[in-house]
Amino acid sequence: MTVSDWLQSAIADANRRSLPELKAVLEALARATTALRAADFNDDAAAPRGPAPSR
Amino acid sequence: MTGIEDFGRRLRARATTSLEAVEACLRRIEETRSLNAFTLVMADEARRQARQLDDEIAAGRDRGPLHGVPVTIKDILDIRGVPTTASSRVRDGHVADRDCPAVMHLRIAGAVFIGKTNLHEFAFGTTNEDSSFGPARNPHDETRSPGGSSGGSGASLAAGVGFATIGTDTGGSIRIPAAACGVVGLKPTLGEVSVEGVVPLSRTMDHVGPLTNGVADACLVYHALLGDPTRRPPAPVPMHGLRLAVLRPHFCDLLDHDVRESFESALNRLRAAGVRIDDIEIRHAADVAAVYLHLVLSDAAAYHAKTLETMPDRYCPAVRLRLEMGRYILAEDYVRALAGRSVLTREVDAALVQHDALVLPTLPIPAPTIGASTVDVSGRQEPVRNVMLRLTQLFDVTGHPAISIPSEPTKSGLPTGLQLVGGRHQTDALLRVALACESLVAGR
């Protein structure tokens, strides 16, 4: 799911639950999620040579 | 209040009693009631404990450095027989049936419990504004926040109530109020001090630790929390040959002017004393906030899922919204944050290979005004919460021990803090560094 699809769905759900004030914080979370997904430590199945995170 | 060891000397010389110290605390609580630092004052129980401990001293039984020492406890840790409110109406009716291990260790060490301190509801905030008891206030300026989430702890200690207070730290909640109130705050290594019987914010990042008036006192309370109540503070490390690394990029990019001046002048004094100070980079520093947010929101949402459905109106509105936000995080993003956590942990480990400790300010700003949602930082308007977490949350993610010690105040007299970070499971080594640096950093 893309971040924009996720955000659209989350806002719709918040509205359905009568929590429209969640919209602003969900938009802030979407920005953080976009940054997280852009980080170079993420796995990429098409380029699997990156270092695996240690456990 | 003087230090714990000094109090102990006077206690054992019969120059004072635990009961006298308790009465002084209770008077001080009355004098500083406007700080709203307490959710519960345990006057009768504290007097009973103090009398018993004075009798023990008279009978020749000495429990160690914390014998008869008045302390306060953040109202998120269980003390048997009293409520653990977490400063939330969600907890109405709760009474703890036993001490949590951290409190039990302090009780065995002879600490006297004066009361439970106010906090940001469920420890989920940095200002202590969202609390069912109302905001705690900063004793240096009552229009300002004492920091949070352990805000009542920082405020009460800085106001002179007790010798130590116990806080919790998931994003900075011990170190932030320590810096905002001008006291010492120690977050030990993740997992060292038990979090059993502590209302969780994040079960994977919560830490328990002390706020004290000095590093030596932090050593004593830290060891008591571990169940080792007779250990004396270690010797400071020699200044010559000490190697510190400043986290310069990212962490020093956004600092209040006075905080920067205080930090740089502390570094200059350390250099003049023979400390080698290098600059160092954490490569993924810019990702810390996103990693932290996805971890803490998910963990908190899992804990609160049931009560968010059954009693949503009992939460402070802002806290409820943050908790609700966590319920929307996707599993794949939580896994990405876990991967980021591993990467950041390795990077902090690597930064410490050639250094005894990392050094950075604790808070980028002085204590913010109560009610402010944004703050001006060198000409930029920034969200208060994001700024306050910026320099502390990394070490909750990675679990490294970190201590905030007071540095020179701002021109208007507000406290600032300098943070030292040590190797994982090397909290004692970090404390030795902090003991060596304490007076120089404070400019004394």
Side-chain angles (χ1 to χ4, degrees):
Chain A
M1 182 183 272
T2 66
V3 174
S4 68
D5 286 346
W6 165 83
L7 179 59
Q8 204 172 1
S9 154
I11 290 171
D13 185 70
N15 286 333
R16 181 188 62 75
R17 297 172 59 220
S18 304
L19 286 169
E21 62 272 35
L22 262 177
K23 181 171 184 283
V25 292
L26 287 169
E27 287 169 347
L29 177 58
R31 289 191 289 276
T33 304
T34 301
L36 181 68
R37 292 187 180 190
D40 66 6
F41 51 69
N42 287 302
D43 288 329
D44 178 353
R49 287 176 297 176
S54 63
R55 303 295 177 205
Chain B
M1 287 272 176
T2 56
I4 290 172
E5 287 202 302
D6 185 53
F7 170 76
R9 275 189 288 273
R10 290 187 294 118
L11 183 77
R12 288 165 187 88
R14 311 291 194 267
T16 191
T17 64
S18 179
L19 186 59
E20 285 175 2
V22 165
E23 295 296 350
C25 287
L26 296 173
R27 282 195 300 276
R28 192 65 189 137
I29 290 170
E30 280 305 312
E31 291 163 3
T32 58
R33 193 162 278 281
S34 59
L35 298 177
N36 199 28
F38 285 87
T39 61
L40 177 70
V41 179
M42 300 163 60
D44 293 343
E45 172 63 10
R47 288 184 176 114
R48 190 199 62 74
Q49 263 192 291
R51 284 191 193 97
Q52 180 193 327
L53 290 157
D54 285 336
D55 289 346
E56 287 184 13
I57 283 284
R61 183 179 177 208
D62 188 341
R63 300 188 186 209
L66 292 195
H67 192 118
V69 171
V71 303
T72 64
I73 305 288
K74 183 178 184 178
D75 194 6
I76 198 168
L77 291 90
D78 281 349
I79 301 180
R80 70 176 183 230
V82 298
T84 307
T85 72
S87 286
S88 179
R89 290 181 50 233
V90 171
R91 303 276 300 179
D92 280 357
H94 172 271
V95 176
D97 61 4
R98 69 191 74 178
D99 289 339
C100 67
V103 165
M104 182 189 68
H105 285 147
L106 292 175
R107 193 186 291 279
I108 291 168
V112 177
F113 305 120
I114 295 294
K116 303 196 80 177
T117 53
N118 199 351
L119 65 144
H120 207 113
E121 185 181 39
F122 283 112
F124 209 4
T126 58
T127 60
N128 211 137
E129 288 167 296
D130 296 313
S131 160
S132 61
F133 294 86
R137 295 178 180 276
N138 193 311
H140 296 272
D141 176 349
E142 292 192 15
T143 67
R144 292 178 184 265
S145 160
S149 64
S150 313
S153 289
S156 61
L157 184 68
V161 178
F163 288 90
T165 179
I166 306 303
T168 59
D169 192 316
T170 306
S173 286
I174 289 172
R175 293 160 288 156
I176 289 169
C181 294
V183 298
V184 169
L186 170 67
K187 180 195 81 66
T189 301
L190 182 65
E192 274 187 307
V193 178
S194 172
V195 293
E196 185 187 331
V198 180
V199 178
L201 174 56
S202 159
R203 291 192 190 277
T204 72
M205 292 193 288
D206 291 340
H207 302 68
V208 171
L211 293 89
T212 55
N213 291 309
V215 178
D217 287 357
C219 297
L220 294 172
V221 180
Y222 160 66
H223 281 287
L225 286 168
L226 294 178
D228 182 9
T230 58
R231 178 88 74 93
R232 301 278 167 182
V237 293
M239 297 298 275
H240 268 281
L242 184 62
R243 301 158 305 169
L244 300 180
V246 181
L247 297 185
R248 189 71 69 177
H250 179 78
F251 297 95
C252 292
D253 292 350
L254 187 69
L255 297 179
D256 169 85
H257 177 76
D258 283 5
V259 170
R260 186 183 299 280
E261 278 203 351
S262 173
F263 180 63
E264 296 297 342
S265 69
L267 295 184
N268 287 336
R269 288 192 294 276
L270 291 168
R271 281 191 197 95
V275 178
R276 193 184 92 193
I277 300 179
D278 305 317
D279 286 357
I280 205 162
E281 180 180 9
I282 299 294
R283 194 164 79 80
H284 287 91
D287 298 317
V288 171
V291 168
Y292 173 77
L293 193 65
H294 285 78
L295 295 176
V296 73
L297 288 177
S298 302
D299 291 348
Y303 180 74
H304 288 277
K306 182 178 173 187
T307 42
L308 284 169
E309 293 297 329
T310 57
M311 50 181 82
D313 296 337
R314 292 197 179 185
Y315 287 91
C316 294
V319 171
R320 179 189 174 198
L321 277 188
R322 278 205 292 285
L323 291 169
E324 284 286 357
M325 182 165 48
R327 304 178 81 187
Y328 290 93
I329 289 176
L330 298 178
E332 64 175 272
D333 292 317
Y334 187 76
V335 171
R336 287 184 179 100
L338 289 176
R341 185 177 198 177
S342 295
V343 168
L344 289 165
T345 303
R346 285 204 303 270
E347 290 180 2
V348 176
D349 284 342
L352 283 158
V353 167
Q354 302 287 334
H355 299 94
D356 298 294
L358 310 180
V359 59
L360 67 167
T362 308
L363 256 182
I365 54 171
T369 304
I370 290 173
S373 58
T374 62
V375 61
D376 184 297
V377 189
S378 297
R380 283 169 56 178
Q381 283 298 314
E382 298 285 341
V384 165
R385 177 181 163 81
N386 295 4
V387 170
M388 292 183 84
L389 289 168
R390 185 178 169 92
L391 308 183
T392 50
Q393 61 195 349
L394 170 60
F395 311 108
D396 293 286
V397 168
T398 67
H400 291 78
I403 187 168
S404 179
I405 57 179
S407 45
E408 285 181 301
T410 66
K411 291 182 186 70
S412 57
L414 292 171
T416 70
L418 177 142
Q419 188 177 195
L420 294 162
V421 181
R424 282 186 286 157
H425 306 291
Q426 295 175 46
T427 307
D428 268 319
L430 173 67
L431 286 164
R432 294 186 66 207
V433 173
L435 281 166
C437 297
E438 183 176 24
S439 60
L440 279 173
V441 168
R444 293 196 297 262

